Structures are given as C-alpha cells and as structure tokens.
Amino acid sequence: DQQVKQNSPSLSVQEGRISILNCDYTNSMFDYFLWYKKYPAEGPTFLISISSIKDKNEDGRFTVFLNKSAKHLSLHIVPSQPGDSAVYFCAALAPSDKLIFGTGTRLQVFP
Amino acid sequence: KAGVTQTPRYLIKTRGQQVTLSCSPISGHRSVSWYQQTPGQGLQFLFEYFSETQRNKGNFPGRFSGRQFSNSRSEMNVSTLELGDSALYLCASSLDRTGVSEQFFGPGTRLTVL
C-alpha cells in the first residue's frame, strides 16, 4: 500500500518554462514533507521541505505547495533549467519518524 | 567535510548467498538509515540506527538485518539472497534522529542477484 504517490513517472518541460511535480499522500497524520532530487549514480539530495502548518514554502526557483484537505503537494520549478533534469522524490515524515518516499518522477528539461 | 560513503559501489551475487554492505556516515552524525530503491517502488525504508540501537524498522523480512558500531558506521546484511533483492541500497546519515535533522544520502550500492 503506497502511502505517498507520485502518479507521473516522467515529465518533459522546455527550458525556461515551469515544471510542476505532483505528489499525493493518504495518511493525514503526516505533518512534514520533503522533496529530494536524484541524479544518476548519486544519492538523493534534499531540495526543499514544508511543514503541515504552512501551505507554501519558497526557496529561489523552487516552491512547494501543500493542500492538506486534498492531501496533495506539488513542487514548482521556475524557470526550469537543463540542470534540473533528474528524478524527484517526495517524502512524508510519518509519526514514527520514518520517511515514506514516493516512487519518483523523472524530469527532463530540454532546450 | 567528507560525505556519506558506501562500499562497495557495485556487487554481483547469486541466489542463496549473503551480502554485507557498509556505510560510513558524515563525521559527527549519529543516525544512519537504510533504504532500498527499485524501479517502480521508489525508496523503501529498511531501518534506522541511532547510537548503535535500531530505532525504526520497515516492512522487510528478517533476511534483512543491520547494525551500527560505536563510531556510527553501519552495516546491513542480506542473507539467502533472492532475485528480487536486486536493487540500489542507499544509506543516509543525519546529525540526530530522522525527523529532527536533515538526512544526507550516500551514492548507494547497486546489488545484482543472479
């Protein structure tokens, strides 16, 4: 049973445009969410996070939006750059302090 | 500051064998977590060790085990390997327990079971 879902396995966006990566979760007890970025042959690196008491967190070109009623979060990257091409994982922190990851979305930014 | 290191980076084993993977956390980090990454399943949590004690465990069979040493280095062991154990095994370290401080991931060990 996948508690954190990323329903789009891949996304292709033109350089300079906005990339929107989506993530849905099922457990209303999750209160902290994170996005990680992973390049091939490297481990994931932390990108941005959001607490459930907020609905938006912004860091440069990256913004995460949280809609608790819909149990949905999204990562916006604007403007998208070729170096953003990677696999993006969303993760939720369970009450047990386990990180529950989604299956990932492969973003490709083309010129 | 050196990052999280994992050895070996690549490993090929046959069914029924056992394997030990090693993870050296960032200096000063006391928590080490292990994850299995397979296509279509994302990263699945295996276990977390903090100050030599297993603090959390995922839903994996008992063939998967781990330990942490006094210097915070951690090993995970998989016995009686199955084909489905082929995956990228990632370890992550954090200063404190998961959820309290940020996790930093190593590059992973890619295990292939033939």
Side-chain angles (χ1 to χ4, degrees), chain A residues 2 32 36 38 41-46 87 89 93 96-104, chain B residues 9 35 37 40-43 45 48 55-58 88 90 98-99 102-103 105-107:
Chain A
Q2 195 75 23
Y32 193 71
Y36 284 82
K38 184 180 186 301
E42 294 182 15
T45 53
F46 170 76
V87 177
F89 291 96
L93 188 65
S96 57
D97 281 350
K98 291 180 193 177
L99 265 185
I100 313 293
F101 282 84
T103 52
Chain B
R9 292 294 310 277
Y35 297 86
Q37 184 189 357
Q41 292 292 320
L43 278 74
F45 174 76
E48 180 199 0
R55 198 176 154 265
N56 248 323
K57 192 175 187 308
L88 179 68
L90 291 157
T98 301
E102 181 186 339
Q103 285 192 322
F105 282 82

Side-chain angles (χ1 to χ4, degrees), chain B residues 5-79:
Chain B
T5 57
Q6 292 186 245
T7 56
R9 292 294 310 277
Y10 302 92
L11 203 50
I12 298 176
K13 290 284 189 179
T14 56
R15 278 182 301 173
Q17 286 188 307
Q18 69 111 28
V19 67
T20 299
L21 311 181
S22 181
C23 172
S24 292
I26 291 172
S27 177
H29 284 195
R30 296 190 295 164
S31 168
V32 173
S33 296
W34 288 89
Y35 297 86
Q36 181 195 66
Q37 184 189 357
T38 53
Q41 292 292 320
L43 278 74
Q44 294 189 289
F45 174 76
L46 279 153
F47 25 65
E48 180 199 0
Y49 286 87
F50 180 77
S51 294
E52 300 179 67
T53 302
Q54 187 180 85
R55 198 176 154 265
N56 248 323
K57 192 175 187 308
N59 299 322
F60 278 81
R63 299 186 296 108
F64 291 81
S65 62
R67 59 179 176 168
Q68 186 180 34
F69 302 95
S70 57
N71 62 358
S72 293
R73 191 177 70 85
S74 177
E75 288 181 347
M76 72 162 268
N77 185 279
V78 189
S79 61

Side-chain angles (χ1 to χ4, degrees), chain A:
Chain A
D1 180 32
Q2 195 75 23
Q3 295 188 67
V4 178
K5 300 176 187 177
Q6 293 176 258
N7 292 317
S8 298
S10 64
L11 176 68
S12 193
V13 171
Q14 189 173 32
E15 182 179 5
R17 306 293 290 264
I18 185 170
S19 295
I20 300 176
L21 296 102
N22 293 304
C23 179
D24 296 294
Y25 60 96
T26 57
N27 191 336
S28 57
M29 297 296 290
F30 293 157
D31 60 5
Y32 193 71
F33 304 88
L34 307 92
W35 283 93
Y36 284 82
K37 174 174 158 179
K38 184 180 186 301
Y39 292 117
E42 294 182 15
T45 53
F46 170 76
L47 198 54
I48 193 169
S49 64
I50 189 166
S51 164
S52 62
I53 61 173
K54 295 186 174 182
D55 54 19
K56 178 182 173 181
N57 188 26
E58 193 171 350
D59 183 2
R61 296 185 299 114
F62 302 91
T63 304
V64 56
F65 294 92
L66 175 62
N67 182 334
K68 280 179 292 184
S69 59
K71 294 192 184 70
H72 176 84
L73 66 154
S74 60
L75 174 68
H76 292 211
I77 306 173
V78 57
S80 301
Q81 298 173 354
D84 296 330
S85 297
V87 177
Y88 289 78
F89 291 96
C90 72
L93 188 65
S96 57
D97 281 350
K98 291 180 193 177
L99 265 185
I100 313 293
F101 282 84
T103 52
T105 296
R106 183 176 301 278
L107 172 67
Q108 184 179 4
V109 180
F110 59 92

